[in-house]
Amino acid sequence: MTDSLTITRPDDWHLHLRDGDMLRAVLPETARHFGRAIIMPNLVPPVVTGDQAAAYRDRILSALPEDMSFTPLMTLYLTEETDPDDVAAAHASGLVTAVKLYPAGATTNSASGVTNFDKVRPVLEKMAEIGLPLCTHGEVTDPDIDIFDREAVFIDRVLDPIRQATPGLRVVMEHITTANAADYVRSHGTVDGGDLGATITTHHLIINRNAILVGGIKPHYYCLPVAKREEHRLALRAAATSADKRFFLGTDSAPHTDANKLSACGCAGCFTATNTMALLAHVFEEDGALDHLEGFASQHGPAFYRLPENTSTLTLVKTDEPVHVPQSIVTPDGPVTVFDPGFPIHWTVA
Ligand code: DOR
Ligand code: ZN
């Protein structure tokens, strides 16, 4: 039996840190375990320009406790007014690592996102030219498309046409939730993760849509893209644990206060920063793939983003007794519930 596992320090390739009091409360939860994270730009107002990204990075670094080290990798929020030259300058200066595409109305704070994809063509062409990755929230928002089909339809109607029209554009399909998305990555991305990769969250490896709806509605399991049928969860598990370099960890840890989750119109998001690494150790062990956890959490992401792997390590230890994880973290805005996998966890970060 494996009772401890030391891996290269992991990175989180999709993270929501918010701002102000919430930023100060949640940042240590990520910085404790992760070396870097791709920081989502869906603030209010969104992080659209290079200047806004620089200011947000400064606020993140000032919120970081002195005894922690952590590198925020900044992103720009793509709008129909985004200036290709501003994007190129932010990339050239090393400020931004990716640009984020939200279809308008797809999720939390996505109102400034894209409706007419032709309008962002010049930005996408510039990004292909300079090698700057596009991170996609892959869901269509057409009201006639069922919410459980929105990812699969996005691939056909939006993603594939964009990729065909923009050779060389590097794309990360974020927080994939379907076998369709995993299959698309495998059949269209080169094996070494050249121009197409996908992130997978911790929670989508653990819950299917029954978790949200059976035995009473469970708002803490509601996120976007919404969890799908069990067959899709199993497909995500297979992709994550397979050692395929095109798949890597992006937690999409998304803090909302309990007041905003437990509401007649609750916010989407699962907060997993606190226990993600322990949960992943459980998942990978359950699938007999503990030796592939390091690739998924620490190696495939840097390879895609053409960054060095972290030089420090993280050790996970197996425990006899189930590990106690706080039910929520305290923030000045109110408690934020930590994702509950629904089963005991016997792994902890040393
Ligand atoms: O569940 C989600 N929460 N999905 C997203 O795409 C956004 C995120 C958030 O910002 O809360
Ligand atoms: Zn997200």
Side-chain angles (χ1 to χ4, degrees):
M1 191 186 89
T2 309
D3 47 22
S4 108
L5 177 69
T6 296
I7 60 172
T8 301
R9 190 172 175 79
D11 301 301
D12 184 349
W13 300 97
H14 181 128
L15 177 66
H16 298 270
L17 285 178
R18 316 297 189 208
D19 216 340
D21 285 340
M22 185 61 89
L23 164 64
R24 277 184 288 279
V26 299
L27 178 58
E29 300 302 298
T30 287
R32 199 170 287 133
H33 298 161
F34 294 89
R36 296 166 290 197
I38 289 269
I39 309 301
M40 286 299 118
N42 62 333
L43 306 182
V44 189
V47 180
V48 174
T49 66
D51 285 349
Q52 288 168 334
Y56 186 30
R57 181 171 68 179
D58 289 347
R59 296 199 295 282
I60 295 169
L61 291 174
S62 344
L64 187 67
E66 261 174 30
D67 58 343
M68 289 186 167
S69 80
F70 172 75
T71 304
L73 302 172
M74 307 310 293
T75 60
L76 298 179
Y77 184 119
L78 183 61
T79 73
E80 292 177 5
E81 282 74 48
T82 294
D83 173 7
D85 293 332
D86 182 62
V87 171
H91 170 66
S93 70
L95 173 66
V96 303
T97 304
V99 170
K100 175 70 189 245
L101 166 68
Y102 286 106
T107 186
T108 311
N109 303 335
S110 62
S112 315
V114 178
T115 304
N116 180 349
F117 293 92
D118 288 337
K119 291 208 176 144
V120 296
R121 183 115 292 294
V123 183
L124 300 181
E125 271 157 23
K126 177 61 82 176
M127 289 170 62
E129 183 190 315
I130 63 182
L132 180 60
L134 179 72
C135 294
T136 58
H137 183 106
E139 290 190 286
V140 293
T141 54
D142 319 34
D144 54 318
I145 305 296
D146 188 276
I147 192 164
F148 292 101
D149 298 332
R150 289 180 171 198
E151 180 171 289
V153 174
F154 178 87
I155 295 169
D156 291 343
R157 285 196 194 167
V158 181
L159 179 68
D160 195 58
I162 285 180
R163 291 190 65 246
Q164 293 206 30
T166 329
L169 181 66
R170 314 193 67 230
V171 174
V172 182
M173 295 169 66
E174 299 202 281
H175 42 54
I176 61 168
T177 58
T178 56
N180 312 55
D183 289 345
Y184 184 84
V185 173
R186 274 188 291 255
S187 56
H188 292 75
T190 52
V191 179
D192 62 358
D195 286 347
L196 184 63
T199 59
I200 302 178
T201 75
T202 308
H203 48 283
H204 287 117
L205 295 173
I206 294 174
I207 58 166
N208 62 27
R209 65 192 199 176
N210 278 14
I212 312 167
L213 296 169
V214 172
I217 192 158
K218 313 281 180 5
H220 291 302
Y221 292 143
Y222 172 62
C223 66
L224 288 170
V226 70
K228 309 294 191 299
R229 289 174 180 276
E230 176 67 356
E231 69 200 61
H232 293 291
R233 185 186 72 93
L234 295 176
L236 299 177
R237 281 259 195 154
T241 58
S242 66
D244 186 324
K245 291 181 77 168
R246 293 167 287 196
F247 300 103
F248 41 94
L249 173 64
T251 66
D252 199 11
S253 181
H256 292 280
T257 61
D258 284 356
N260 286 333
K261 290 288 292 176
L262 308 176
S263 146
C265 183
C267 294
C270 297
F271 180 69
T272 56
T274 306
N275 53 353
T276 273
M277 289 312 299
L279 296 177
L280 288 175
H282 176 100
V283 163
F284 277 66
E285 182 182 47
E286 195 168 73
D287 286 6
L290 261 185
D291 53 335
H292 293 166
L293 176 58
E294 183 175 38
F296 180 69
S298 315
Q299 295 172 327
H300 303 169
F304 181 88
Y305 278 100
R306 301 174 177 163
L307 292 168
E309 291 172 16
N310 291 317
T311 47
S312 53
T313 58
L314 181 96
T315 297
L316 288 145
V317 179
K318 185 109 194 246
T319 60
D320 291 333
E321 296 300 317
V323 175
H324 171 78
V325 176
Q327 198 204 321
S328 57
I329 65 158
V330 177
T331 87
D333 300 334
V336 171
T337 292
V338 176
F339 178 78
D340 173 3
F343 45 76
I345 294 294
H346 290 263
W347 286 93
T348 188
V349 175

